[in-house]
Amino acid sequence: MLELVVQQGIQATPMSQVVKESGVAAGTIYHHFSSKEEIINELYLNLKIDFGKALSEHLTADLSYKEKFFQTWLNLYDYFCENESAFHFAEQIGHCTMITSETKQKGEIHYLPIVEFFAQGISQNVLREMDLKLMTNLIYGNIVTAVQITLSGDLIMTKDRLYSVIESSWDSIKKH
Amino acid sequence: MLELVVQQGIQATPMSQVVKESGVAAGTIYHHFSSKEEIINELYLNLKIDFGKALSEHLTADLSYKEKFFQTWLNLYDYFCENESAFHFAEQIGHCTMITSETKQKGEIHYLPIVEFFAQGISQNVLREMDLKLMTNLIYGNIVTAVQITLSGDLIMTKDRLYSVIESSWDSIKKH
Amino acid sequence: MLELVVQQGIQATPMSQVVKESGVAAGTIYHHFSSKEEIINELYLNLKIDFGKALSEHLTADLSYKEKFFQTWLNLYDYFCENESAFHFAEQIGHCTMITSETKQKGEIHYLPIVEFFAQGISQNVLREMDLKLMTNLIYGNIVTAVQITLSGDLIMTKDRLYSVIESSWDSIKKH
Amino acid sequence: MLELVVQQGIQATPMSQVVKESGVAAGTIYHHFSSKEEIINELYLNLKIDFGKALSEHLTADLSYKEKFFQTWLNLYDYFCENESAFHFAEQIGHCTMITSETKQKGEIHYLPIVEFFAQGISQNVLREMDLKLMTNLIYGNIVTAVQITLSGDLIMTKDRLYSVIESSWDSIKKH
DNA sequence: AATGAATGAGCCTTCATTCAT
DNA sequence: CATGAATGAAGGCTCATTCAT
């Protein structure tokens, strides 16, 4: 059911549509969730879990730090491109007041491995000194930009272009 | 009048609120604009003009290319921090279907000097080879990230931190 | 529910009034009908069915053609006088664009027996040669006129006067 | 200016359109009329005058009573067919509460010659005994029916058909 | 637990009318 | 006299939510 709402995409989706697509009655939904806000928060959390999972794929021990960075970057990029509605949902979440700060905090847990990964990079002198929040958001922003351009269709995202962007990302945080 | 609606911030703002805050009657607004959509589009365009103006401030001829980049970056960052509602409005614009593609096209005109600035950087071998759309969006994304963190209050944006971010931005596109 | 709206009478009646008089909430109405237009069309069809039923009452086999004509005429006249709002509704329907041609077509089905009755009259040489559409509309118009005068109260419609009108109607289409 | 509103046709026409089409400002209109209702009433009266004029055209002294009836009938029929908007306006007038009974009374003055014509017919034993109001409305209704069918385009109103209708009208009131 | 009809505040917009200029 | 910007109540309709069954 949560999946369905994600596929709908937006928090702008009326509950009436959710009801129709989910195949259950309005009352039934409100048996499980106290409000639309709760559904959105639940969804948000589920997505964060998915993101967390996606991020750590294909990260074998034999990869160098930079290679791991590239793989992680690509993991999120691919996930968003393949789950367009999840991406748009995540995009909209940022600009709506429906997500409680409590939920946001809960969601960040799933990003801890990444934050940890960046922290390691800094302590190992592979990445430059920078506030972790700043650094992670900067890179996340880069990925979002790449996904936006890819999905908009304004530009065909060739492999060359994509790797050039990742390289940019890397250069922006790597130790000089 | 446009200013007032911008201060409201969001296109999700109901007209009833726009009416209340603007201090004029509903009919009055519709005397000047044919629909909410038109208001939003008008606003969008006005903001783009403002952005364009803000971007080119303090760009004296004596500055080096990198210095100009820094100044431009700061110009937009400062503008957004000082016009928080304009920032939030711009953020939401991206995810709503209200802005016509015609309006978007018109809006891009005001960014031409920047695109030109980046193009120069590439042709002068100061910046790396990269699609212009990609490059500008990447940097724009960096600024947005910085503004978001600043405005969220999660992190105090000291001068050091800010310059560290701009340096990151620069490193991500400068010629190796 | 349909009945209630008919009692309101007019399609010029605002939905807010329909809501108030019907005793249900606005949303409830739109739960059953997708728009005001649909309500009006539904109403129109229901009325046509009622008309059709009313028209064929008391038509026993022992009546002569002329007597059947008189009875039919009176049937519609009585129906309109007893269902004043239905009459006014029917009157207004003609001048509004809300009724779709599809609905109109559906509605005409219920008039077929009458048209058939007139056709028989012509083929049996009881009625004069005349386009059926013209003939039925002429007689319908006579009835409407009589009802209007009756309901306006400008003139007391005595039995004598009424039969005089029906006689006029009859004379206007009977074979010389 | 009045003409313009008639051409618009309907009382459903918004004043804003009247303003636009008339070429004068809203305020100007309200200098001359205290309300939309007054405009409609004024229009109504003007039309009644026009009707009155139309009715008595081509009525030369050499015509027989029946011929005069035919001519009068045709006068109104032609007037309506040639002034479609005036016809529709008149049609709508009946079903709206905007026309005051005072106005209606004033309007009837212009019909007096017709009423007189029918009265003569009765007293001269050419027409049957019938309440004058009833008789005039019956005939008026016949004309309206003919015009409606003509303007609807559902049936091509040939000369034969038209004269057949007028004959029907005549037969409905002529002395047996 | 599940239903879905019912709710009613709120949405964007229109329009007859007013009033300062 | 003329203007037209301003008014604000009212219009049709939506939608998150409730509640009797």
Side-chain angles (χ1 to χ4, degrees):
Chain A
M1 226 207 76
L2 294 173
E3 310 298 317
L4 275 166
V5 187
V6 180
Q7 272 162 43
Q8 296 262 54
I10 326 185
Q11 130 266 24
T13 307
M15 285 306 280
S16 62
Q17 222 178 106
V18 176
V19 164
K20 212 182 291 172
E21 302 261 339
S22 70
V24 297
T28 311
I29 291 177
Y30 280 87
H31 260 289
H32 299 293
F33 304 95
S34 66
S35 69
K36 189 182 181 181
E37 193 173 321
E38 196 180 302
I39 298 178
I40 302 290
N41 277 271
E42 199 102 334
L43 265 165
Y44 175 83
L45 236 39
N46 272 43
L47 282 182
K48 286 290 168 187
I49 292 170
D50 272 13
F51 290 177
K53 277 187 203 151
L55 279 170
S56 54
E57 277 181 4
H58 312 301
L59 290 180
T60 50
D62 60 315
L63 298 176
S64 71
Y65 190 91
K66 185 179 172 183
E67 281 167 341
K68 278 183 185 161
F69 173 84
F70 265 62
Q71 187 58 57
T72 307
W73 203 106
L74 269 172
N75 280 341
L76 198 53
Y77 172 84
D78 286 340
Y79 177 85
F80 278 148
C81 287
E82 283 158 23
N83 301 278
E84 196 169 337
S85 45
F87 173 67
H88 290 310
F89 180 81
E91 283 287 88
Q92 294 192 328
I93 279 318
H95 314 305
C96 89
T97 51
M98 259 186 182
I99 303 294
T100 63
S101 54
E102 193 203 341
T103 305
K104 275 186 179 163
Q105 229 169 342
K106 274 190 192 168
E108 284 184 10
I109 295 171
H110 308 287
Y111 280 160
L112 278 184
I114 290 296
V115 178
E116 180 56 27
F117 174 68
F118 280 116
Q120 273 175 31
I122 295 172
S123 68
Q124 289 171 12
N125 251 328
V126 187
L127 301 184
R128 64 183 71 171
E129 288 284 343
M130 191 188 244
D131 181 274
L132 277 173
K133 187 163 201 104
L134 221 42
M135 187 179 276
T136 49
N137 277 284
L138 231 30
I139 302 306
Y140 182 80
N142 287 164
I143 299 172
V144 165
T145 298
V147 174
Q148 275 171 343
I149 284 180
T150 305
L151 295 181
S152 77
D154 288 351
L155 193 73
I156 291 157
M157 189 57 82
T158 60
K159 248 196 170 151
D160 276 2
R161 277 188 179 128
L162 186 57
Y163 277 83
S164 150
V165 173
I166 310 181
E167 198 74 48
S168 279
S169 254
W170 173 254
D171 288 344
S172 72
I173 57 169
K174 75 147 192 254
K175 190 88 180 184
H176 313 271
Chain B
M1 230 218 82
L2 293 171
E3 312 297 318
L4 278 165
V5 188
V6 179
Q7 271 161 43
Q8 292 267 75
I10 326 185
Q11 120 269 24
T13 306
M15 285 309 278
S16 61
Q17 220 181 110
V18 176
V19 164
K20 210 182 291 172
E21 301 264 336
S22 70
V24 298
T28 309
I29 292 176
Y30 282 88
H31 188 67
H32 299 291
F33 304 93
S34 66
S35 68
K36 189 180 179 181
E37 195 173 321
E38 194 180 303
I39 298 178
I40 302 292
N41 276 271
E42 199 104 334
L43 237 60
Y44 175 85
L45 233 41
N46 271 44
L47 283 183
K48 287 288 170 188
I49 292 170
D50 272 12
F51 290 177
K53 277 187 204 151
L55 279 170
S56 55
E57 277 180 4
H58 313 301
L59 291 180
T60 50
D62 59 316
L63 298 176
S64 71
Y65 190 91
K66 184 179 173 183
E67 280 167 343
K68 277 182 186 161
F69 174 84
F70 265 61
Q71 186 58 57
T72 307
W73 204 105
L74 269 173
N75 280 340
L76 198 53
Y77 172 84
D78 286 340
Y79 178 85
F80 278 148
C81 288
E82 283 158 22
N83 301 278
E84 195 170 339
S85 47
F87 173 66
H88 291 310
F89 180 81
E91 283 288 88
Q92 295 195 327
I93 278 317
H95 314 303
C96 90
T97 50
M98 257 187 184
I99 302 293
T100 64
S101 53
E102 194 203 340
T103 306
K104 275 187 179 162
Q105 229 168 342
K106 275 190 193 167
E108 281 183 13
I109 295 171
H110 308 287
Y111 281 159
L112 280 184
I114 290 296
V115 178
E116 180 58 26
F117 175 68
F118 281 114
Q120 273 175 30
I122 295 172
S123 68
Q124 290 171 12
N125 252 328
V126 188
L127 301 182
R128 64 182 71 172
E129 289 283 342
M130 192 187 246
D131 181 273
L132 275 173
K133 188 164 199 103
L134 221 41
M135 187 180 277
T136 49
N137 277 283
L138 233 28
I139 302 306
Y140 183 80
N142 288 162
I143 299 172
V144 165
T145 298
V147 174
Q148 274 171 344
I149 286 180
T150 306
L151 294 180
S152 76
D154 289 351
L155 193 73
I156 291 156
M157 187 59 81
T158 59
K159 249 196 171 150
D160 276 3
R161 278 187 178 128
L162 186 57
Y163 277 83
S164 150
V165 174
I166 310 181
E167 199 73 47
S168 279
S169 254
W170 173 253
D171 289 344
S172 73
I173 57 169
K174 75 146 191 260
K175 191 90 180 182
H176 315 271
Chain C
M1 227 218 84
L2 292 172
E3 311 298 318
L4 279 165
V5 189
V6 179
Q7 272 162 42
Q8 291 267 80
I10 327 185
Q11 120 271 24
T13 307
M15 285 308 279
S16 61
Q17 219 180 113
V18 176
V19 164
K20 212 182 289 174
E21 302 265 335
S22 68
V24 297
T28 309
I29 292 175
Y30 283 89
H31 188 67
H32 299 290
F33 304 94
S34 67
S35 68
K36 190 181 179 181
E37 194 174 321
E38 194 181 302
I39 298 178
I40 302 291
N41 276 271
E42 199 103 336
L43 237 62
Y44 176 85
L45 233 40
N46 272 44
L47 283 183
K48 287 288 169 188
I49 292 170
D50 272 14
F51 289 177
K53 278 186 203 150
L55 279 169
S56 55
E57 278 182 4
H58 313 300
L59 290 179
T60 51
D62 59 315
L63 298 176
S64 71
Y65 191 90
K66 184 179 173 182
E67 282 167 341
K68 278 183 186 161
F69 175 84
F70 266 61
Q71 186 59 57
T72 307
W73 204 106
L74 269 173
N75 280 341
L76 198 53
Y77 173 83
D78 286 340
Y79 178 85
F80 279 149
C81 288
E82 284 158 23
N83 302 277
E84 195 170 338
S85 46
F87 174 66
H88 291 310
F89 180 81
E91 283 289 86
Q92 295 194 326
I93 278 318
H95 313 304
C96 90
T97 51
M98 258 188 183
I99 303 293
T100 64
S101 53
E102 194 203 340
T103 305
K104 275 187 179 161
Q105 229 170 341
K106 276 189 190 167
E108 281 183 13
I109 295 172
H110 308 288
Y111 281 158
L112 280 183
I114 290 296
V115 178
E116 180 58 25
F117 175 68
F118 280 114
Q120 273 175 30
I122 294 172
S123 67
Q124 290 170 12
N125 253 329
V126 188
L127 300 183
R128 63 182 71 169
E129 290 283 342
M130 190 188 247
D131 180 274
L132 276 173
K133 187 161 200 108
L134 222 41
M135 187 180 276
T136 49
N137 278 283
L138 234 28
I139 302 306
Y140 183 81
N142 288 164
I143 300 172
V144 165
T145 298
V147 175
Q148 274 170 344
I149 285 180
T150 307
L151 294 181
S152 77
D154 288 352
L155 193 72
I156 291 157
M157 188 58 80
T158 61
K159 250 197 170 152
D160 277 2
R161 278 188 178 128
L162 186 56
Y163 277 83
S164 151
V165 174
I166 310 181
E167 200 74 48
S168 279
S169 256
W170 174 252
D171 288 343
S172 73
I173 58 169
K174 76 146 190 256
K175 191 91 182 182
H176 316 271
Chain D
M1 224 209 76
L2 293 172
E3 308 299 317
L4 276 166
V5 187
V6 180
Q7 272 162 42
Q8 297 263 51
I10 327 185
Q11 129 267 22
T13 306
M15 285 305 281
S16 62
Q17 224 179 107
V18 176
V19 164
K20 214 183 289 172
E21 303 261 338
S22 69
V24 297
T28 311
I29 291 177
Y30 281 87
H31 261 288
H32 299 293
F33 304 95
S34 67
S35 68
K36 188 181 180 180
E37 195 173 320
E38 197 180 301
I39 298 178
I40 301 291
N41 275 272
E42 198 101 335
L43 265 166
Y44 175 84
L45 237 39
N46 271 44
L47 282 183
K48 286 290 169 189
I49 292 171
D50 272 13
F51 290 176
K53 277 187 205 152
L55 278 169
S56 53
E57 278 182 3
H58 312 300
L59 290 180
T60 51
D62 59 316
L63 297 176
S64 71
Y65 190 90
K66 185 180 173 183
E67 283 168 340
K68 279 183 185 159
F69 173 84
F70 265 62
Q71 187 59 57
T72 308
W73 202 106
L74 270 173
N75 281 341
L76 198 52
Y77 172 84
D78 286 339
Y79 178 85
F80 279 148
C81 288
E82 283 158 22
N83 302 277
E84 196 168 338
S85 47
F87 173 66
H88 291 310
F89 180 81
E91 282 287 87
Q92 294 191 327
I93 280 316
H95 314 304
C96 89
T97 50
M98 258 187 184
I99 303 294
T100 63
S101 53
E102 193 203 340
T103 305
K104 275 187 180 163
Q105 230 168 342
K106 275 191 193 168
E108 284 184 11
I109 296 171
H110 308 287
Y111 281 158
L112 279 184
I114 289 295
V115 179
E116 181 57 27
F117 174 68
F118 280 115
Q120 274 175 30
I122 295 171
S123 68
Q124 290 171 11
N125 252 330
V126 188
L127 300 184
R128 64 183 70 169
E129 290 282 342
M130 192 188 245
D131 181 275
L132 277 173
K133 189 165 200 102
L134 223 39
M135 187 179 278
T136 49
N137 278 284
L138 234 28
I139 302 306
Y140 183 80
N142 287 164
I143 299 172
V144 165
T145 298
V147 175
Q148 275 171 344
I149 285 180
T150 306
L151 295 182
S152 77
D154 289 352
L155 193 74
I156 291 157
M157 189 57 83
T158 60
K159 248 194 170 154
D160 277 3
R161 277 189 180 125
L162 187 57
Y163 277 83
S164 150
V165 174
I166 310 181
E167 199 73 47
S168 279
S169 254
W170 172 253
D171 288 344
S172 73
I173 58 170
K174 75 148 192 255
K175 191 89 180 184
H176 315 269

